[in-house]
Amino acid sequence: MKLEEFTSRFNKLPGAMPIWHGIVDVAQFRSLCEQVKHDGGKLVALWGSDESASGAGYALHVALVTAAGMLCLTLPVSAERPAYPDISDLFPGAGRMQRAVVDLLGLHATGADDQRKWLRHGSWPGNAHPLRKNFDGNSVSKTETDAYPFITVSGDGVHEIPVGPVHAGTIEPGHFRFSIIGDRVLRLEERLGYKHKGIEKRFESMTLEQGAKLAGRISGDSTVAYAWAYAQAVESVTATAPPPRALALRAVLLELERIHNHLGDLGYLGNDVALSFGFSQFWILKEDVLRLNGELFGHRYLMDRVVPGGVACDLDHRDIERMLQLFDHLEQEIRILKDIYDEHAGAQDRFLTTGRVTPDLAAQLGLTGLPGRASGQAWDMRAQFPCTPYDQLEVRMATHRNGDVAARVIVRFEEVMESLRLIRLILAELPAGALRATVTAAPEHALGIGWVEGWRGEILVALHTGKNNGIHRLHPHDPSWQNWPVLEHAIIGNIVPDFPLINKSFNLSYCGVDL
Amino acid sequence: MYQIIRQILKTGIKTETPPQPDHALRVDGQQLQEKILRHIGRALAIRHVDAGSCNGCELEIHALNNAYYNIEGLGIKFVASPRHADMLLVTGPVSRHMETALKRTYDAMPEPRLVVAVGDCGCTGGIFSSANSPGGENYASCGKISNVIPVDVAIPGCPPTPVALLQGILAAVSVSTKSENT
Ligand code: SF4
């Protein structure tokens, strides 16, 4: 099958986003993946599911994106031989996703280079697979030692620095192993999975209604993006059309989330180069936004405000005035702070050329989202596949080609400004009307996909429905899956003390990938 | 430099009056002895451990450092090593993969030591725990923090606001209400 044909040969999923789904055989699976890669497309997510209840063994699913939209492939996998072809040669980011599928479901990628475990440490044995339907999620097995085989670098003068899982600051846990010579990093190896708390299994005990709250807590800093993606998935399987006012308000919430996260990062990036003035200033602005969120929407981080069918909040004209007033202040302050950052020799000296990912390397490794845009990967779904209300806004995508910390700082500055502009436009034409449509029960065996450009990058929620409006399988996908492996490259040749700065400039999620 | 100074002067002092301790957040039966609390006083070193949160609670812990709450101005400091810490501030349900790291961090602290559990997840296991598992355990999670280490104060909320966090932290270090009143 030719790639161009997918929009005519596959089923278009109902809902807000251009997504087509098809069931394929092994040959088609590999060939379509190759064509997507060849065509300049990318892998968004990869997950598996247990279909033994309907007598079909297992299934492996991938979400790929091309210029025409998203192509979701389902490959049936037999229970007798639970294997499928490796695609990490095409999309290096698939490597860890495939390893997680082995840990959770016992499906193997034939021919993959790296066959080590990933999400599993020692909490369940290697022959048990939590996402199989016959695995009891509340069972507790004896803890084994992890004994993870790290790759060691040898040679004269090479030594290792192990860091984590508990880090020096208020950060999520993970383990980093640096192989260094002098002060220079030869190699970094990440070991994540410390926060694995069984979120995907937990979803399977929930109804579509209950799942909304959990979806908003996969990664608390991206709660709006996840909640919207979840809502899109539910709306797709239940053929629900949220009212226009709700869609507009969702975009306001999503952009507020982008603003507060970017402001926080800009502050920390100043702090990491000994410009603590930057931290103080940006965190005042961030707090101003959080307080406004709390006042107008009832939650500082906007949790549970996007719900299937619409939103659980509203704005009146006084609220809008309050918001616009704060925006004027923010814009003025951010301009001043940008000038200060731009002209601060010490800060720029640390930002420029540090942690560089060239556009070629970024394309090869599949760097995505915000760091991708700082390395010339021009993908922003708000601009390319705009759902309502973005389709009326002509979103200006921020892209740069230097791929260093400085570029990731600039992208953040530009995106904050763009978010302010977008919210103003939305509020100027806020449609009147209802806030929430009724969501009916979903049919069994349906697939719905939500796909939202969060502040880190593309958030995907794939929902397979079960009986009685329940969840058969839910895979939430964070762009950090793709970007963590690239961070290992970004640090090569840099000095160890620059790692916190480089890491911060990516600001990837741990809980979003540990699940 | 001139620009920076001008901006600092223009910003002025944002710090607000801190809240009072909330003694209701103390965990029953684990009230601290007065002399231990006197010993620590109000110059407090906190080590934070994320034992499996959604990172939402961390956002509010970060906010404590902003100019409005200015936690350092109260003599409270976040430190990098548990060996320097008086208090362990723990978020999340404790994932089983973090169980050992959390215990080791706790063990590395000098006594007397305080433990504050943060958020609905830290208090009960929260949304990540199923109703069939009261302590919040499952194949990947040990559930609430007190399942793994002893907890002195538990601060609910999803996430608790910076003010609630401050009230809880202050409750842990101030003498008990009873002895204050007498
Ligand atoms: S209490 Fe809420 S914010 Fe805190 S970790 Fe749990 S879900 Fe996240």
Side-chain angles (χ1 to χ4, degrees), chain A residues 217 303, chain B residues 53-57 91-93 118-122 127-128 157-160:
Chain A
R217 284 158 181 81
M303 283 176 169
Chain B
S53 77
C54 81
N55 202 26
C57 284
T91 57
V118 174
D120 288 350
C121 293
I127 185 147
F128 302 107
C158 184

Side-chain angles (χ1 to χ4, degrees), chain A residues 467-511:
Chain A
K467 284 194 187 61
N468 305 325
N469 210 33
I471 297 173
H472 165 64
R473 172 79 174 93
L474 189 135
H475 176 67
H477 189 95
D478 197 278
S480 305
W481 276 104
Q482 276 87 337
N483 291 354
W484 274 115
V486 187
L487 179 66
E488 293 183 342
H489 290 262
I491 179 75
I492 293 175
N494 286 260
I495 55 173
V496 180
D498 272 339
F499 179 69
L501 176 65
I502 298 169
N503 192 20
K504 193 68 207 176
S505 72
F506 277 77
N507 195 3
L508 305 176
S509 172
Y510 299 67
C511 50

Side-chain angles (χ1 to χ4, degrees), chain A residues 20-22 26 60 70 112 116 144 147 169 221 281 290 331 362 413 420 433 476-477:
Chain A
W20 286 262
H21 175 240
V26 171
L60 192 277
M70 180 178 281
R116 292 175 298 170
E144 304 165 6
D221 54 31
Q281 292 284 328
L290 297 177
E331 186 166 343
F413 270 116
L420 291 174
H477 189 95

